[in-house]
């Protein structure tokens, strides 16, 4: 049903009962003992006949027939209904023969089912034949001709309305997303694309062209390659063949203004088989997840970071270092990693003399020096108190020694308050991986022994643990 503007508003199905088929004046054809039902392709009731109270005891039309009817092959009936066939049969229900008609509808693959007692049909046919066969044939053929014309006309009109309805439903269904694309992956053909995406208006662009245009004009450059690969027809068809029909990829896009920060988005790709063509089709949904993503990052930061220094906390660092130690290169002794424990000298004196506020300032200063001194990919954490851990990936011992000497000079810091001055330095213990182990616990134990050796040697220095328990500074 359409409104005055031609927009889809709803669908109406009606069954017409011709009770006033006149053969001669004063002669009435009145078939009144019938039942009409509306069922889906599985046989479940959509609408029951009010006159047939017993149908309300069953959820499925087939369940009713299995218990009350005979002489009907339900398995064959279901198969023919799947093929959308018009079916006419007779069946015995509770000791009475009925004529049963199954008529398919275009809407939702539903069926209209009509049951009429066979004796009543025979009675009225006999009555009509007795009156005037010629008039009966003319009226029936005329009526059938008119009905055929009406069915063809409204069938075509309904198909157009169904297409318009599908488009309107899509737009309403996806009002909470940035855009939506539906495409045939085998033909590389766009079936539907949201106007909100404002993609190129070239004539009949392929799915690959539209996706490529969107990605290159919206996503930040560092995400282009990964997005193009994940969205390609070849990748999606291959993943679907392996039973993976849902893929998602997060990425960032530029804000609407040059001063805006980039926003987080996600593209969710759902692959389903088209029932008409048998081709895999992708439903490509684009969502703005910036608020959700930033909230997740905030929670993750709170869970992983030390609140005072912003460095990784002990739990997060343990997981990250163990993850790095589980890599194939480390397990196969193809790379050398350094596990470093750094402990501040005279930190207790600093706290006791200049108060904890100054001690907190010192911890923050040391953290900044470590973050600026080491590489971005190195793992730096505050274990607790004045103890820090640094994990250097793919770094041989000679490079570690070269880096530690100038670092210890940078960590010689002085603080003053109310005329009192306290100097702090750092002592360092080093354990190399895989020589000293490939787990956080074993490396920590070795580096801790090296640290105490450095403390015994006068502080403000570093020692390296060796499996032979010899310390080298």
């Amino acid at each position: 049903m359409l409104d005055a503007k031609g927009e889809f508003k709803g669908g109406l199905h009606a069954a017409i009962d011709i009770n006033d088929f006149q053969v001669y004046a004063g002669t009435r054809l009145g078939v009144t003992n019938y039942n009409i039902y509306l069922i889906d392709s599985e046989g479940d009731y959509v609408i029951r006949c009010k006159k047939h109270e017993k149908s309300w005891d069953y959820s499925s039309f087939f369940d009713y027939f299995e218990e009350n009817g005979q002489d009907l092959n339900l398995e064959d009936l279901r198969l023919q209904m799947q093929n959308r066939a018009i079916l006419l049969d007779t069946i015995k229900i509770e000791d009475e023969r009925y004529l049963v008609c199954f008529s398919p509808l275009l809407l939702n693959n539903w069926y209209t089912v009509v049951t009429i007692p066979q004796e009543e049909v025979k009675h009225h046919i006999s009555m009509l034949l007795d009156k005037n066969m010629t008039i009966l044939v003319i009226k029936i053929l005329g009526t059938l001709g008119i009905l055929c014309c009406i069915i063809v006309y409204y069938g075509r009109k309904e198909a157009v309305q169904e297409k318009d309805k599908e488009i309107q439903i899509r737009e309403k269904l996806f009002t909470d997303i940035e855009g939506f694309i539906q495409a045939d992956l085998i033909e590389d053909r766009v079936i539907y694309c949201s106007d909100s995406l404002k993609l190129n208006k070239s004539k009949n662009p392929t799915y690959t062209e539209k996706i490529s245009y969107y990605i290159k004009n919206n996503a930040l450059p560092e995400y282009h390659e990964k997005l193009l690969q994940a969205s390609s027809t070849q990748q999606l068809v291959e993943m679907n063949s392996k039973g993976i029909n849902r893929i998602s990829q997060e990425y960032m896009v530029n804000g609407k203004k040059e001063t805006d920060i980039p926003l987080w988005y996600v593209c969710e790709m759902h692959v389903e088989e088209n029932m008409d063509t048998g081709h895999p089709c992708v439903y490509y949904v684009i969502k703005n997840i910036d608020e959700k993503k930033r909230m997740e990052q905030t929670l993750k930061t709170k869970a992983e970071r030390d609140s005072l220094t912003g460095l990784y906390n002990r739990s997060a660092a343990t997981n990250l270092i163990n993850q790095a130690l589980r890599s194939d290169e480390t397990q196969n002794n193809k790379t050398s990693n350094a596990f470093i424990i750094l402990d501040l000298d005279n930190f207790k004196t600093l706290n006791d003399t200049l108060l904890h506020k100054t001690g907190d300032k010192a911890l923050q200063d040391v953290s900044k020096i470590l973050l600026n001194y080491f590489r971005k990919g190195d793992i730096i954490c505050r274990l607790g108190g004045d103890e820090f851990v640094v994990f250097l990936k793919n770094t041989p011992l000679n490079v570690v020694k070269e880096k530690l000497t100038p670092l210890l000079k940078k960590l010689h810091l002085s603080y003053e308050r109310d005329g009192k001055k306290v100097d702090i330095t750092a002592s360092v213990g080093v354990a190399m991986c895989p020589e000293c182990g490939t787990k956080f616990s074993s490396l920590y134990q070795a580096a801790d022994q090296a640290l105490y050796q450095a403390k015994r040697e006068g502080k403000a220095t570093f020692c390296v643990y060796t499996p032979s328990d010899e310390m080298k500074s």
Side-chain angles (χ1 to χ4, degrees):
M1 298 175 64
L2 306 178
D3 62 12
K5 297 181 179 180
E7 294 184 348
F8 174 79
K9 290 299 180 183
L12 175 66
H13 171 71
I16 302 173
D17 172 35
I18 305 176
N19 275 332
D20 296 322
F21 195 120
Q22 300 292 337
V23 180
Y24 291 111
T27 302
R28 177 182 293 273
L29 174 63
V31 180
T32 58
N33 187 17
Y34 62 86
N35 296 322
I36 299 178
Y37 313 89
L38 191 61
I39 65 174
D40 62 18
S41 58
E42 299 297 325
D44 293 334
Y45 286 112
V46 178
I47 298 176
R48 295 173 173 82
C49 183
K50 292 183 178 179
K51 296 185 293 182
H52 187 201
E53 295 181 357
K54 195 170 184 178
S55 66
W56 292 91
D57 297 333
Y58 302 87
S59 61
S60 169
F61 185 75
F62 294 144
D63 291 345
Y64 170 76
F65 269 92
E66 284 180 343
E67 187 168 322
N68 298 280
Q70 300 87 32
D71 306 329
L72 187 63
N73 189 331
L74 294 179
E75 183 177 349
D76 182 60
L77 176 61
R78 286 190 176 97
L79 180 62
Q80 293 189 64
M81 287 179 65
Q82 290 177 2
N83 296 326
R84 312 300 294 159
I86 298 176
L87 309 174
L88 186 65
D89 207 339
T90 60
I91 185 173
K92 188 176 181 181
I93 304 176
E94 298 176 350
D95 299 327
E96 187 175 358
R97 304 289 310 179
Y98 280 79
L99 182 68
V100 184
C101 179
F102 294 80
S103 301
L105 300 176
L106 292 176
L107 185 64
N108 297 334
N109 292 330
W110 289 343
Y111 260 82
T112 301
V113 183
V114 181
T115 62
I116 306 175
Q118 191 174 23
E119 287 301 320
E120 187 165 344
V121 174
K122 288 181 179 180
H123 169 73
H124 288 287
I125 290 177
S126 299
M127 182 186 69
L128 290 171
L129 290 175
D130 289 343
K131 295 295 182 181
N132 190 308
M133 178 62 72
T134 303
I135 294 177
L136 174 63
V137 170
I138 292 174
K139 286 183 175 289
I140 291 178
L141 291 179
T143 303
L144 289 176
I146 294 172
L147 286 174
C148 287
C149 292
I150 292 173
I151 291 171
V152 171
Y153 173 76
Y154 281 100
R156 291 179 178 176
K157 187 174 181 180
E158 185 174 350
V160 174
Q161 292 177 358
E162 282 291 315
K163 185 175 180 180
D164 292 340
K165 178 190 71 174
E166 184 178 357
I167 292 174
Q168 292 176 35
I169 289 175
R170 281 174 179 159
E171 291 293 345
K172 292 179 180 179
L173 183 61
F174 296 108
T175 52
D176 61 335
I177 67 173
E178 293 290 319
F180 168 73
I181 299 173
Q182 181 185 357
D184 185 308
L185 293 174
I186 301 300
E187 299 177 3
D188 196 17
R189 174 175 58 87
V190 175
I191 300 173
Y192 174 81
C193 179
S194 300
D195 292 336
S196 58
L197 291 178
K198 299 179 181 179
L199 298 182
N200 54 325
K201 302 297 183 180
S202 59
K203 187 176 181 181
N204 299 323
T206 64
Y207 161 77
T208 300
E209 290 171 341
K210 275 192 177 290
I211 291 298
S212 178
Y213 181 89
Y214 169 78
I215 292 172
K216 291 178 179 178
N217 286 273
N218 291 276
L220 297 185
E222 56 264 35
Y223 295 96
H224 286 183
E225 183 178 354
K226 186 179 291 186
L227 280 172
L228 287 170
Q229 181 179 358
S231 306
S232 69
T233 56
Q234 180 180 354
Q235 172 80 355
L236 292 172
V237 170
E238 182 178 343
M239 297 297 284
N240 186 56
S241 66
K242 297 177 181 178
I244 303 172
N245 55 20
R246 185 181 184 278
I247 306 170
S248 64
Q249 185 68 55
E250 294 182 354
Y251 58 99
M252 298 190 79
V253 305
N254 287 315
K256 295 182 180 180
K257 300 178 182 178
E258 293 184 1
T259 56
D260 291 344
I261 61 174
L263 305 175
W264 278 102
Y265 274 63
V266 65
C267 60
E268 297 178 349
M269 293 156 275
H270 307 260
V271 181
E272 299 288 345
E273 184 177 293
N274 187 300
M275 296 183 64
D276 295 328
T277 65
H279 293 174
C281 286
V282 63
Y283 299 85
Y284 197 102
V285 181
I286 299 169
K287 296 181 179 179
N288 182 329
I289 59 168
D290 191 69
E291 183 177 350
K292 175 186 174 184
K293 186 71 174 179
R294 296 193 186 280
M295 184 177 294
E296 289 176 353
Q297 290 177 333
T298 299
L299 294 174
K300 183 179 180 182
T301 298
K302 289 182 178 180
E304 293 183 344
R305 299 285 177 170
D306 173 60
S307 59
L308 178 64
T309 64
L311 300 179
Y312 285 116
N313 58 31
R314 187 187 191 101
S315 176
T318 302
N319 292 334
L320 290 171
I321 292 173
N322 276 330
Q323 183 178 341
L325 293 170
R326 285 193 295 267
S327 68
D328 292 338
E329 291 183 349
T330 300
Q331 293 295 323
N332 295 324
N333 300 333
K334 293 182 179 180
T335 184
S336 181
N337 306 306
F339 188 100
I340 299 170
I341 295 180
L342 184 148
D343 186 86
L344 299 183
D345 305 320
N346 303 325
F347 185 73
K348 185 177 185 305
T349 302
L350 178 69
N351 270 336
D352 293 343
T353 304
L354 306 182
L355 304 181
H356 286 279
K357 185 175 182 180
T358 305
D360 290 346
K361 175 68 167 55
L363 292 174
Q364 292 172 337
D365 291 341
V366 170
S367 300
K368 289 178 182 178
I369 291 172
L370 295 177
L371 285 172
N372 292 329
Y373 191 76
F374 291 106
R375 299 168 299 184
K376 185 177 181 180
D378 294 330
I379 301 170
I380 307 171
C381 88
R382 180 190 175 201
L383 285 185
D386 60 338
E387 191 175 48
F388 299 82
V389 162
V390 180
F391 185 79
L392 304 181
K393 302 177 184 177
N394 195 22
T395 307
L397 180 58
N398 63 315
V399 175
V400 175
K401 290 181 177 180
E402 291 175 1
K403 292 183 73 70
L404 288 179
T405 299
L407 175 63
L408 292 175
K409 293 180 180 179
K410 288 178 176 289
L411 293 175
H412 191 154
L413 304 173
S414 296
Y415 295 90
E416 188 173 354
R417 179 187 178 93
D418 299 330
K420 298 177 183 179
K421 181 180 179 181
V422 177
D423 291 339
I424 64 169
T425 56
S427 297
V428 174
V430 180
M432 297 303 296
C433 170
E435 292 87 349
C436 299
T438 56
K439 292 184 178 180
F440 182 96
S441 56
S442 56
L443 290 171
Y444 179 85
Q445 184 177 2
D448 193 48
Q449 291 186 39
L451 171 64
Y452 278 99
Q453 179 65 25
K455 293 278 190 182
R456 287 193 294 268
E457 291 185 5
K459 303 179 180 180
T461 187
F462 70 89
C463 288
V464 179
Y465 179 89
T466 62
S468 60
D469 293 330
E470 295 176 0
M471 303 299 175
K472 298 182 180 180
S473 60

